[in-house]
Amino acid sequence: MKTGEPELDSVLGGGMVGGMVVLLAGEPGIGKSTLLTQVALKRPKVLYVCGEESASQVALRAKRLGAGGDVTLFESLDVDEIVAKVEETKPDLVIVDSIQTLQTSDLVGVAGSVGQVRECSHRLSVISKQLGIPMFLIGHVTKEGTIAGPSVLMHVVDTVLWFEGERSQALRLVRAVKNRFGPTDEVGVFEMTEKGLVGVDNPSKLLLAERVKDVPGSVVSVLLEGTRPMLVEIQALVTSSQLAIPRRVATGIDVSRLQMLTAVLLRRAGLHLGDQDIFVNVTGGVKLADRGVDLAICLAVASAFLNKPMPADVAAVGEVGLLGEVRKIGGLDRRIKEAKKLGYRVASAESGKSVAAAIKRLLE
């Protein structure tokens, strides 16, 4: 069954399945409720359980997003009342906002406690499976950025979706962390607008829209999110440190990865970075886990350190090893094809076998 949001359908593996329980988690204010309200407005018969907000607040958001569909707003914090309501109305889709606000009188403990979250999610999952009704549960996250509640919550549901992005940025990504009915390497890309979340067909163009060319420290790379290639800009700033231990600050990539690549540049490429503060940022609020951007990070740091801009039409792709070698990565053909669409040529392991060789060829 289609959700009405093509980007969300692709992450789910094509759409919803009868009896499927989906946990959607993310930072507060990132757009979880907005996305599911949009889904509710595009389905024929939906039960929207209001736990955090009142029904009038949800109705206002629905009105802002464009009224449509047959949505029943049900205010309740008692999971047994919700189960009874589902059995009575037999909706096409159930949305629970949020699982941490529910409780049952059969257990002692406040809403959001380990026992309450575990029992409530189990009861909702049972009724979803019995009636074959797909269900979305909105979940909170902790200060550390992980899903709040017991780990068993992730085992009870069929699919876990992670909503990420910077609230100050328009771009939002939805990733599948677990999916019993589809792949876990797909990603949906949305843009937050005044009229809600809009699916982005060409995220590369959006991410590079404000790129400033011919400035040292700016390098374009092509990451692969599932089957979708995307061009991103990686920026680096290198300055003399005033501290005993120079800083390594990363936004959008793992700090330990930056430290390793800095060590490779120091030892294998001969760049004297030992007394330099290094700052690396991925524009657009995207968080990178793809090792294929290693070469771009190294070139961005080297470009900033040498104060020489990279060629404006080059996109760097490749994994960097501890020996300073540039390794081949998966999906290179798709990455090259995507880069060519926007007028970029790809520098990879084929064009430079080591980081030192790539720096010499592109920056000297």
Side-chain angles (χ1 to χ4, degrees):
M1 293 174 280
K2 300 297 183 183
T3 62
E5 295 289 342
E7 290 292 318
L8 183 58
D9 286 334
S10 67
V11 179
L12 291 172
M16 301 178 293
V17 178
M20 179 183 197
V21 181
V22 182
L23 174 64
L24 179 64
E27 296 284 342
I30 203 73
K32 303 182 296 296
S33 299
T34 299
L35 178 60
L36 292 186
T37 302
Q38 291 178 200
V39 170
L41 294 173
K42 293 176 181 177
R43 295 298 304 173
K45 189 180 180 183
V46 178
L47 176 65
Y48 195 111
V49 179
C50 308
E52 289 192 8
E53 303 171 289
S54 66
S56 59
Q57 287 176 303
V58 177
L60 281 173
R61 183 169 63 243
K63 186 178 180 181
R64 176 174 58 85
L65 296 173
D70 180 12
V71 183
T72 301
L73 300 178
F74 182 59
E75 286 187 43
S76 178
L77 300 179
D78 190 322
V79 70
D80 299 308
E81 286 183 3
I82 296 167
V83 169
K85 186 71 173 180
V86 172
E87 290 177 330
E88 176 192 339
T89 58
K90 292 184 173 58
D92 175 66
L93 173 67
V94 178
I95 296 172
V96 179
D97 186 4
S98 67
I99 186 63
Q100 274 86 9
T101 61
L102 305 187
Q103 58 184 340
T104 173
S105 56
D106 295 339
L107 292 179
V108 177
V110 297
S113 62
V114 171
Q116 290 283 3
V117 170
R118 179 169 53 209
E119 183 62 24
C120 291
S121 59
H122 175 69
R123 293 188 186 189
L124 290 171
S125 178
V126 168
I127 192 63
S128 173
K129 298 282 190 292
Q130 285 179 350
L131 300 179
I133 299 170
M135 181 179 292
F136 279 94
L137 309 177
I138 292 179
H140 292 173
V141 295
T142 62
K143 292 179 181 178
E144 291 75 29
T146 57
I147 298 172
S151 296
V152 71
L153 178 60
M154 295 183 68
H155 298 291
V156 169
V157 300
D158 300 302
T159 303
V160 179
L161 301 183
W162 189 259
F163 211 130
E164 66 181 44
E166 298 290 337
R167 278 185 288 179
S168 58
Q169 302 283 345
L171 201 68
R172 302 285 191 274
L173 299 182
V174 179
R175 302 177 191 272
V177 180
K178 168 190 174 182
N179 194 356
R180 288 177 179 157
F181 302 106
T184 57
D185 58 357
E186 290 295 338
V187 63
V189 184
F190 294 90
E191 182 181 8
M192 180 64 82
T193 68
E194 292 179 358
K195 296 183 178 180
L197 289 158
V198 179
V200 179
D201 295 327
N202 190 352
S204 300
K205 193 172 182 180
L206 181 66
L207 287 168
L208 298 180
E210 299 180 22
R211 188 194 175 205
V212 180
K213 298 181 180 179
D214 299 323
V215 177
S218 172
V219 179
V220 171
S221 188
V222 191
L223 67 139
L224 200 62
E225 291 285 3
T227 58
R228 168 181 281 182
M230 291 192 296
L231 272 71
V232 294
E233 181 191 5
I234 296 173
Q235 297 177 339
L237 180 65
V238 179
T239 61
S240 296
S241 180
Q242 305 300 318
L243 304 173
I245 302 176
R247 288 179 290 177
R248 305 287 184 259
V249 181
T251 304
I253 62 171
D254 188 22
V255 177
S256 60
R257 190 72 184 167
L258 174 60
Q259 291 173 333
M260 188 209 80
L261 294 174
T262 302
V264 171
L265 289 172
L266 182 66
R267 185 69 180 87
R268 306 295 182 187
L271 299 183
H272 302 293
L273 299 168
D275 58 351
Q276 303 288 314
D277 287 334
I278 300 175
F279 305 87
V280 174
N281 174 49
V282 182
T283 60
V286 180
K287 295 179 182 177
L288 306 182
D290 187 355
R291 295 291 178 86
V293 302
D294 284 356
L295 180 59
I297 295 170
C298 289
L299 287 172
V301 172
S303 172
F305 177 67
L306 298 171
N307 199 31
K308 294 182 179 179
M310 276 277 292
D313 63 338
V314 170
V317 174
E319 181 184 355
V320 175
L322 290 177
L323 303 180
E325 80 279 18
V326 180
R327 295 173 171 270
K328 294 181 182 179
I329 52 171
L332 185 59
D333 293 338
R334 271 178 288 177
R335 296 177 200 246
I336 292 174
K337 186 178 179 181
E338 179 69 14
K340 283 182 177 179
K341 282 183 185 178
L342 295 179
Y344 289 88
R345 55 190 174 93
V346 172
S348 62
E350 277 73 16
S351 54
K353 294 293 183 183
S354 70
V355 173
I359 292 171
K360 186 175 182 180
R361 188 172 66 84
L362 293 169
L363 295 173
E364 294 183 1

